[in-house]
Amino acid sequence: MDICKKDSFKTIIFTIIFNIMVKYSSKIIITGGLGYIGSHTVVELQSKGFEIVIVDNLSNSSIEVLDGLKIITGKNVIFENIDLKKSDLVTDLFKRHSDLTGVIHFAASKAVGESVKNPLDYYENNICSLINVLKGLEELNKPISFIFSSSCTVYGQAEILPITEKESIKKAESPYGNTKQICEEIISDLVNSSKNLKAISLRYFNPIGAHESTEIGELPLGIPQNLIPFITQTGAGIRDELTVFGNDYPTNDGTCIRDYIHVVDLAKAHVAALFSIMNNTHSKSHECYNIGTGKGTSVLEAITSFEKISKTKLKYKIGSRRIGDITSAYADTSKANKQLNWKAELSLDQAMASAWKWQKKISK
Ligand code: UD1
């Protein structure tokens, strides 16, 4: 059998087993399920037949996302408005849903600058919530698959590109980044002692874009800090112009390089990760995977992609470097490709086009 045939055979077998497992299982709790990545993941899981419970305290999301999800999937989800910092509410939540088989934990604060200003809020929210969730799961005393929403920020400026999971973890640049490192360590320590918990941390590179229906997408609060929402808001006339943060980096065109991944591809990685744990295909009890496209894109290349798909000229100027920015980060995704049987499929232009379509819808 040649390699292609072998791979497609493997995929078919995986899919059959997966569908059977889902049919006879499978209630999944998604914390932060009304957020940007969480909501896209709900869609992908529902399309595979999982029963979903969304837990969200609406601190950085909107209840209208539930309507968008219903339009896309035609299915209902259970929604629980709960602050995961409150341990008694979390214990009670898991008692009410004790038939659950997995948790995907997105709920966390994620603004880097804000985390520098209010570190204690970040440690309290991101770490206490995780601990409460893990304690609640341990009390259930049954096998649980746990997926944690981590970030490539744990690597800082990597020594070797593309970045593999073997890259050393540097001292975090911000309290936000530190919470991701600490949470990964907490999960590792727990799975070593737990007989029930199996976990995967997905280290996301730069998620962008929106669902093709434009029913869900990214809703940045105030002035966007991230590049793509700033580009699309500038294109839509909400911002006057984009500032490119530095063009004197040691890269081909002098601007920073990142790995921009379509949020739908990223969402699918969570389905693959759940499947992998449920199917026992990973050897360690806590594995970490890079989730990106494997392709580096500079800020100027991202602008060119936007201009191409929107058929407009973007107003931008070159400014000084942003403190804390690293030069280059893009993923080696071979571990996820092999072990999770997952690969990003959508291009930068497709992701950018979906971000632009979403922007035009929300700025109407
Ligand atoms: C940021 C976060 C990171 C998070 C990631 C994904 C920081 C320091 N890091 O990373 O923790 O995991 O988003 O959401 O905020 N740029 C401009 N002009 C702008 C905005 C950005 O030139 O107005 C440049 C930046 O300098 C960078 C690139 O665009 O080179 C991407 O920036 P951004 O979208 O903020 O992502 P990261 O810096 O990779």
PDB file of all heavy atoms in Angstrom, residues 7 25 64 139 189 244 265 273 293 298 302 335:
ATOM      1  N   ASP A   7      -2.596   6.392   4.436  1.00  0.00           N
ATOM      2  CA  ASP A   7      -3.106   7.515   5.222  1.00  0.00           C
ATOM      3  C   ASP A   7      -4.615   7.627   5.125  1.00  0.00           C
ATOM      4  O   ASP A   7      -5.302   7.843   6.112  1.00  0.00           O
ATOM      5  CB  ASP A   7      -2.459   8.830   4.746  1.00  0.00           C
ATOM      6  CG  ASP A   7      -1.126   9.046   5.441  1.00  0.00           C
ATOM      7  OD1 ASP A   7      -0.773   8.189   6.273  1.00  0.00           O
ATOM      8  OD2 ASP A   7      -0.451  10.039   5.121  1.00  0.00           O
ATOM      9  N   SER A  25     -21.529   8.222  23.325  1.00  0.00           N
ATOM     10  CA  SER A  25     -21.013   8.973  24.455  1.00  0.00           C
ATOM     11  C   SER A  25     -21.929  10.168  24.660  1.00  0.00           C
ATOM     12  O   SER A  25     -23.065   9.897  25.007  1.00  0.00           O
ATOM     13  CB  SER A  25     -19.561   9.330  24.255  1.00  0.00           C
ATOM     14  OG  SER A  25     -19.327   9.732  22.954  1.00  0.00           O
ATOM     15  N   GLU A  64     -25.625  36.840  22.488  1.00  0.00           N
ATOM     16  CA  GLU A  64     -26.149  36.677  21.110  1.00  0.00           C
ATOM     17  C   GLU A  64     -25.414  35.577  20.332  1.00  0.00           C
ATOM     18  O   GLU A  64     -25.934  35.071  19.340  1.00  0.00           O
ATOM     19  CB  GLU A  64     -26.025  37.986  20.312  1.00  0.00           C
ATOM     20  CG  GLU A  64     -27.164  38.961  20.527  1.00  0.00           C
ATOM     21  CD  GLU A  64     -26.899  39.879  21.691  1.00  0.00           C
ATOM     22  OE1 GLU A  64     -25.853  40.560  21.678  1.00  0.00           O
ATOM     23  OE2 GLU A  64     -27.722  39.916  22.629  1.00  0.00           O
ATOM     24  N   GLU A 139     -13.444  15.103  41.612  1.00  0.00           N
ATOM     25  CA  GLU A 139     -14.515  14.638  42.514  1.00  0.00           C
ATOM     26  C   GLU A 139     -15.480  13.682  41.808  1.00  0.00           C
ATOM     27  O   GLU A 139     -16.110  12.851  42.440  1.00  0.00           O
ATOM     28  CB  GLU A 139     -15.281  15.837  43.089  1.00  0.00           C
ATOM     29  CG  GLU A 139     -14.570  16.444  44.292  1.00  0.00           C
ATOM     30  CD  GLU A 139     -15.106  17.830  44.646  1.00  0.00           C
ATOM     31  OE1 GLU A 139     -16.261  18.127  44.311  1.00  0.00           O
ATOM     32  OE2 GLU A 139     -14.329  18.604  45.247  1.00  0.00           O
ATOM     33  N   ASP A 189       1.099  18.063  36.592  1.00  0.00           N
ATOM     34  CA  ASP A 189       1.196  17.503  37.950  1.00  0.00           C
ATOM     35  C   ASP A 189      -0.041  16.685  38.285  1.00  0.00           C
ATOM     36  O   ASP A 189       0.048  15.614  38.875  1.00  0.00           O
ATOM     37  CB  ASP A 189       1.362  18.633  38.987  1.00  0.00           C
ATOM     38  CG  ASP A 189       2.749  19.261  38.909  1.00  0.00           C
ATOM     39  OD1 ASP A 189       3.648  18.626  38.312  1.00  0.00           O
ATOM     40  OD2 ASP A 189       2.931  20.383  39.422  1.00  0.00           O
ATOM     41  N   VAL A 244       2.344  49.832  11.509  1.00  0.00           N
ATOM     42  CA  VAL A 244       3.156  48.602  11.492  1.00  0.00           C
ATOM     43  C   VAL A 244       4.239  48.785  12.552  1.00  0.00           C
ATOM     44  O   VAL A 244       5.036  49.731  12.486  1.00  0.00           O
ATOM     45  CB  VAL A 244       3.804  48.391  10.099  1.00  0.00           C
ATOM     46  CG1 VAL A 244       4.765  47.211  10.115  1.00  0.00           C
ATOM     47  CG2 VAL A 244       2.720  48.205   9.044  1.00  0.00           C
ATOM     48  N   ASP A 265      -9.921  25.960  11.264  1.00  0.00           N
ATOM     49  CA  ASP A 265      -8.899  24.906  11.345  1.00  0.00           C
ATOM     50  C   ASP A 265      -8.515  24.655  12.806  1.00  0.00           C
ATOM     51  O   ASP A 265      -8.350  23.512  13.239  1.00  0.00           O
ATOM     52  CB  ASP A 265      -7.634  25.314  10.575  1.00  0.00           C
ATOM     53  CG  ASP A 265      -7.707  24.940   9.090  1.00  0.00           C
ATOM     54  OD1 ASP A 265      -8.437  23.979   8.755  1.00  0.00           O
ATOM     55  OD2 ASP A 265      -7.030  25.603   8.279  1.00  0.00           O
ATOM     56  N   ALA A 273      -8.135  16.425  18.967  1.00  0.00           N
ATOM     57  CA  ALA A 273      -7.490  16.176  20.263  1.00  0.00           C
ATOM     58  C   ALA A 273      -8.395  15.321  21.163  1.00  0.00           C
ATOM     59  O   ALA A 273      -7.935  14.373  21.803  1.00  0.00           O
ATOM     60  CB  ALA A 273      -7.156  17.498  20.934  1.00  0.00           C
ATOM     61  N   THR A 293      -0.222  26.805  11.126  1.00  0.00           N
ATOM     62  CA  THR A 293      -0.203  26.324   9.733  1.00  0.00           C
ATOM     63  C   THR A 293       1.187  25.812   9.348  1.00  0.00           C
ATOM     64  O   THR A 293       1.339  25.126   8.345  1.00  0.00           O
ATOM     65  CB  THR A 293      -0.541  27.468   8.752  1.00  0.00           C
ATOM     66  OG1 THR A 293       0.496  28.459   8.867  1.00  0.00           O
ATOM     67  CG2 THR A 293      -1.889  28.091   9.074  1.00  0.00           C
ATOM     68  N   SER A 298       4.812  37.714   7.249  1.00  0.00           N
ATOM     69  CA  SER A 298       5.222  38.994   7.840  1.00  0.00           C
ATOM     70  C   SER A 298       4.024  39.943   7.903  1.00  0.00           C
ATOM     71  O   SER A 298       2.995  39.700   7.255  1.00  0.00           O
ATOM     72  CB  SER A 298       6.340  39.624   7.007  1.00  0.00           C
ATOM     73  OG  SER A 298       5.790  40.129   5.799  1.00  0.00           O
ATOM     74  N   ALA A 302       0.819  40.160   5.371  1.00  0.00           N
ATOM     75  CA  ALA A 302      -0.585  40.105   5.825  1.00  0.00           C
ATOM     76  C   ALA A 302      -1.358  41.276   5.199  1.00  0.00           C
ATOM     77  O   ALA A 302      -2.505  41.115   4.746  1.00  0.00           O
ATOM     78  CB  ALA A 302      -0.654  40.166   7.347  1.00  0.00           C
ATOM     79  N   LYS A 335       4.050  17.094  14.884  1.00  0.00           N
ATOM     80  CA  LYS A 335       3.558  16.233  15.978  1.00  0.00           C
ATOM     81  C   LYS A 335       2.021  16.131  15.921  1.00  0.00           C
ATOM     82  O   LYS A 335       1.459  15.037  15.998  1.00  0.00           O
ATOM     83  CB  LYS A 335       4.024  16.806  17.328  1.00  0.00           C
ATOM     84  CG  LYS A 335       3.669  15.931  18.505  1.00  0.00           C
ATOM     85  CD  LYS A 335       4.241  16.471  19.818  1.00  0.00           C
ATOM     86  CE  LYS A 335       3.698  15.702  21.009  1.00  0.00           C
ATOM     87  NZ  LYS A 335       4.053  16.309  22.284  1.00  0.00           N
TER      88      LYS A 335
END
